[in-house]
Amino acid sequence: MSRRITASTRLAAVIGDPVRHSLSPALHNAAYASAALDWMMVAIPAAAGTGSAMVDLVRCHDLGGLAVTMPLKSEVADAVDRLDPAAAALRSVNTVVADPDGPLGMSTDGDGFVASLRSAGHEPSGARVVVLGAGAAARSIVDALGRAGVASLAIHNRTASAASEAAGLAAQAITVDEVGLVQACAAADIIVNTTSVGMGAADASGDMPLGPELLSREHVVADIVYHPLATPLLVAARSVGADVVDGLGMLVHQAALQCLAWTGVEVDTAAMRAAAEAELASRHR
Ligand code: ATR
């Protein structure tokens, strides 16, 4: 069925460089279709230095919203009028909302991760969590898990200084070395991989961000890598009977939070996930 696009159709855009690989248009357009929202999303290549001009499309030209990717997340944080608490803590924006008081910058990545855990039936409040990695994604997840009320948060990263910096984002967070990681995993309810280890792995024998002997059936194991969906870490976790949450969870739920911020509508995450899976399958055939 073809869509009716009129002069009142609202336009959202995902911006960044590169951006033609983004799954955001597939995710968002599926959400708009499932909720019968008169919106559409396109990808606009936008190089470093153009973030302020892109925010002006929201400010001056009634663009409905921006999804912001690399390399614009921090310059867009400087260009918007206000930041939500997550974006302010991270000094990074992945979402610009057209607000009557001026463009609002948000960061939905971490809350999207928390929502993906909850939608899989795992409540982070009160949980003991291990976070592997300390890059941009880890920082958003640490911030959100802190606000979600985890009991403890142990961060392990190849580069210790980055782990210390990320630990500053949540009062419950500490950093752990290799020895501390063993103890933290033994006590953990949830283990999250935010490193790129496992990305592009051809089969389950690929690299893992921690030793498989640290996994048990008591764990919930989440990976934010979504190519492949069954990362070596998640395959190993499943094999010991752990519950797993794959990388499409965060991607889908951060987009659903963007959609809610722009349209006020809670969209169908199952339809979004199906669209993302179909898009990924068409690319990797
Ligand atoms: P993202 O935006 O996805 O978070 P990033 O900011 O580049 O990406 O962070 C990548 C993370 O993966 C970092 O924690 C990085 O560790 P370093 O801080 O030591 O660089 C981690 N990482 C990448 N390759 C890795 C590898 N081969 N082994 C362990 N950690 C790795």
Side-chain angles (χ1 to χ4, degrees), residues 133-138 157-159 162 194-197 224:
N157 191 49
R158 181 176 62 178
T159 308
T194 73
T195 76
S196 46
V197 179
I224 69 162

Side-chain angles (χ1 to χ4, degrees), residues 235-265:
V235 171
R238 269 198 198 102
S239 76
V240 297
D243 279 340
V244 305
V245 178
D246 70 35
L248 272 189
M250 174 169 166
L251 194 72
V252 165
H253 283 274
Q254 63 79 29
L257 291 173
Q258 293 179 318
C259 204
L260 177 64
W262 295 335
T263 70
V265 173

Side-chain angles (χ1 to χ4, degrees), residues 13 20 22 36 38 52 88 91 116 175 189 203 205 209 223 236 262 270:
R20 291 292 179 203
S22 172
D38 189 14
S52 173
R91 206 66 213 170
S116 78
T175 64
D189 304 301
D203 58 44
S205 66
D223 205 330
W262 295 335

Side-chain angles (χ1 to χ4, degrees), residues 43 54 61 95 100 149-150 154-156 167 169 172 203 206-207 219 227 233 238 257 285:
M54 299 310 294
H61 302 285
T95 310
V150 295
I155 305 172
H156 176 75
L169 290 162
Q172 304 94 322
D203 58 44
D207 286 345
H219 290 138
H227 174 57
L233 172 66
R238 269 198 198 102
L257 291 173
R285 255 202 291 268

Side-chain angles (χ1 to χ4, degrees), residues 134-209:
R139 291 166 57 81
S140 66
I141 287 171
V142 166
D143 168 64
L145 286 172
R147 285 184 284 105
V150 295
S152 66
L153 221 167
I155 305 172
H156 176 75
N157 191 49
R158 181 176 62 178
T159 308
S161 56
S164 300
E165 214 174 295
L169 290 162
Q172 304 94 322
I174 59 164
T175 64
V176 288
D177 60 12
E178 294 287 347
V179 176
L181 178 63
V182 175
Q183 291 163 351
C185 286
D189 304 301
I190 301 171
I191 298 174
V192 188
N193 175 48
T194 73
T195 76
S196 46
V197 179
M199 197 180 284
D203 58 44
S205 66
D207 286 345
M208 289 186 38

